[in-house]
Amino acid sequence: HHHADAERVVPFLTLSVANYRNLSNETIDLLAKEIFFTGENGKGKSNLLEALYYSAYGSSFRTRNDSEIARKGDSDFSIRSLFREENGTSHTTAIFFEKSQKKIEKDGKILHDRKELVNTIPCVLYNHDDLDFAVGSPERRRFFIDQSLSMYDVMYIDVMRRYKKVLKNRNLCLKEQMYQLLETYDVQLAFNGLEIQKKRKNAIFQFNQIFGNLYEQVTGIDGVGIKYIPTWNKKSGDEKPVTIETFSTYTDSSLPEIDEVQDFMRSKRDVEKALGTTVTGPHRDRIVFVRNKESFVPMASTGQRRLIALVLRTAQAVFYTRVTGKKPVLLMDDVLLALDPEKRKRLTTLLPEYDQLFCTFLPGEPYENYRKENTRIYKINSGGWEETK
């Protein structure tokens, strides 16, 4: 029942797991453009999506602590996937977590850094926690933009790591009152931080072209945009930094020069010594949803907020394709549940272009409505799976 066009390009061909959460130690056949996992909650649907994500990025979206992933009573697990690139060549990735150490192999060669997996199998994950991007802390919105950049830009991953390291050392100096080292760290923080802000600013500018348009198509609400307020901005020199109250008058000003940032940091010395921590920089940048120059989220209904999150994910996929020319794999974890049928239909018709789609559903849901003729449907029960026709 597979047609030639499904055979053409699907990234994930098979996934094999051992001791991975509650999943059976078996191989699942993924040769199809659309694959649905149906089953009650807690039976393993999300674990399958997590395993796919894990094999794409070498980390989980649910936990930082890999030992939590191993089956209860076990401390080690492994996961292998066979996937195909657009040019038709097949590859394998294998990830072993043994004795608290992670080992990643691609085509039998050991990768020394997770970042070498970037661009291998780009996955965009839609999930419940995405609501955080609309209503959660500023950190969650920064995380979203950082993730969008990290999906394709290895340089961004490097500069973020350098920045975090400098920030950590600088905070240590403030805490331990080793103030004579601050000047040196200021230069490094400014240099790496401005690089991050430049990339974020550019990404958010491109994102805006995509997001507002999509959001209007799904909700009928026009003019919703994303505003980036870097803590180092040309206005930093003024006594009053931009706040949520004054940001409607804030126009996207250009980023400062490195020496302006250093001056600005010097002006914050006393505050930082008192607090023992670094108060400015990309780790304090803000990203705000706006409409008609006002913050949008406080006025938005719960449904509109949930749709911000879903549309953001779609924009992330479209953005990735624009930048790289590649289509991602979409992983949709129970996301249609919370939408009324009308919005659900609009969202599904507006899905971004993808190479493969994985979707989880509860048993009673009308997933038949979304299936295409080659969609594979697996019933998931107690970590096992059975294909249903």
Side-chain angles (χ1 to χ4, degrees):
H1 59 268
H2 294 299
H3 292 282
D5 102 305
E7 306 289 317
R8 212 180 63 240
V9 180
V10 293
F12 282 111
L13 300 172
T14 63
L15 176 76
S16 313
V17 291
N19 289 349
Y20 193 98
R21 295 205 189 261
N22 75 338
L23 299 175
S24 303
N25 292 354
E26 287 174 63
T27 297
I28 185 167
D29 176 2
L30 303 174
L31 184 63
K33 188 165 174 169
E34 285 91 16
I35 295 176
F36 294 169
F37 297 134
T38 80
E40 299 292 349
N41 282 330
K43 298 295 185 204
K45 304 187 308 280
S46 299
N47 293 345
L48 276 165
L49 290 193
E50 180 195 31
L52 289 165
Y53 187 95
Y54 199 99
S55 64
Y57 293 118
S59 67
S60 163
F61 54 83
R62 280 178 173 163
T63 174
R64 284 226 173 100
N65 180 3
D66 285 309
S67 57
E68 284 177 16
I69 292 172
R71 175 167 303 161
K72 283 196 173 52
D74 261 301
S75 54
D76 302 351
F77 67 87
S78 69
I79 177 166
R80 294 163 193 275
S81 62
L82 178 64
F83 66 94
R84 193 161 47 190
E85 280 191 308
E86 274 177 281
N87 61 16
T89 54
S90 296
H91 299 274
T92 53
T93 56
I95 303 174
F96 307 94
F97 186 76
E98 288 163 352
K99 299 190 176 57
S100 306
Q101 292 290 310
K102 183 158 31 186
K103 194 172 85 182
I104 302 176
E105 289 181 3
K106 185 172 167 186
D107 296 332
K109 285 206 294 287
I110 290 181
L111 301 187
H112 294 290
D113 193 321
R114 232 163 37 84
K115 72 181 184 194
E116 296 175 56
L117 281 176
V118 164
N119 275 323
T120 301
I121 317 174
C123 288
V124 169
L125 169 87
Y126 293 74
N127 104 351
H128 285 309
D129 302 339
D130 294 353
L131 190 57
D132 275 4
F133 298 141
V135 298
S137 64
E139 184 188 359
R140 292 298 289 153
R141 284 185 290 282
R142 287 194 297 269
F143 169 82
F144 179 81
I145 288 297
D146 291 343
Q147 184 188 54
S148 303
L149 280 156
S150 303
M151 279 175 68
Y152 67 91
D153 187 347
V154 178
M155 308 290 277
Y156 190 73
I157 297 173
D158 287 338
V159 73
M160 279 300 285
R161 287 175 178 176
R162 284 198 301 273
Y163 179 83
K164 283 178 178 155
K165 207 164 148 186
V166 176
L167 182 63
K168 200 171 155 185
N169 290 335
R170 191 177 187 278
N171 284 340
L172 202 66
C173 290
L174 285 165
K175 229 193 216 82
E176 308 284 331
Q177 301 182 351
M178 304 190 302
Y179 302 138
Q180 68 285 1
L181 295 173
L182 285 178
E183 286 287 320
T184 320
Y185 284 127
D186 286 2
V187 183
Q188 294 174 21
L189 200 75
F191 179 75
N192 290 300
L194 280 169
E195 193 56 39
I196 290 169
Q197 290 189 336
K198 207 161 54 209
K199 285 180 183 270
R200 281 181 181 171
K201 186 176 176 173
N202 176 33
I204 289 167
F205 175 76
Q206 292 187 56
F207 233 86
N208 256 330
Q209 321 283 310
I210 303 165
F211 177 83
N213 189 1
L214 277 169
Y215 193 74
E216 185 177 354
Q217 287 178 57
V218 177
T219 61
I221 300 170
D222 66 342
V224 177
I226 303 167
K227 207 160 193 53
Y228 178 41
I229 308 175
T231 56
W232 299 334
N233 48 57
K234 280 285 193 191
K235 288 202 174 173
S236 299
D238 304 356
E239 276 315 288
K240 296 194 187 74
V242 182
T243 63
I244 287 287
E245 290 70 45
T246 60
F247 84 96
S248 60
T249 60
Y250 166 76
T251 47
D252 285 334
S253 57
S254 49
L255 296 170
E257 299 297 318
I258 193 159
D259 51 341
E260 293 177 285
V261 172
Q262 284 175 263
D263 288 343
F264 180 57
M265 285 164 86
R266 273 184 215 110
S267 75
K268 295 283 182 225
R269 275 280 191 278
D270 295 343
V271 177
E272 293 191 328
K273 286 175 180 177
L275 292 172
T277 191
T278 304
V279 298
T280 71
H283 64 292
R284 292 290 180 90
D285 285 353
R286 287 209 311 283
I287 293 159
V288 191
F289 295 97
V290 288
R291 182 169 187 251
N292 302 333
K293 297 203 164 179
E294 289 188 285
S295 186
F296 175 64
V297 172
M299 336 268 206
S301 68
T302 312
Q304 290 166 348
R305 291 171 181 183
R306 186 163 271 124
L307 285 161
I308 286 181
L310 294 177
V311 173
L312 264 185
R313 282 301 187 193
T314 299
Q316 187 177 51
V318 174
F319 173 70
Y320 180 83
T321 302
R322 277 198 187 172
V323 176
T324 63
K326 291 179 170 177
K327 293 181 217 161
V329 171
L330 306 184
L331 305 173
M332 303 190 79
D333 197 7
D334 284 350
V335 286
L336 297 172
L337 268 182
L339 302 180
D340 62 65
E342 184 46 39
K343 295 259 193 314
R344 210 181 255 219
K345 212 159 76 203
R346 263 188 253 167
L347 188 78
T348 41
T349 52
L350 287 173
L351 279 183
E353 288 187 71
Y354 54 83
D355 270 348
Q356 205 171 16
L357 166 72
F358 292 89
C359 228
T360 67
F361 293 98
L362 287 168
E365 286 189 88
Y367 50 84
E368 293 295 333
N369 299 354
Y370 307 109
R371 72 180 301 177
K372 302 193 174 159
E373 54 178 336
N374 300 322
T375 304
R376 295 183 84 157
I377 298 179
Y378 283 102
K379 276 208 161 82
I380 312 297
N381 196 3
S382 314
W385 47 82
E386 185 188 348
E387 187 164 5
T388 64
K389 289 289 172 273

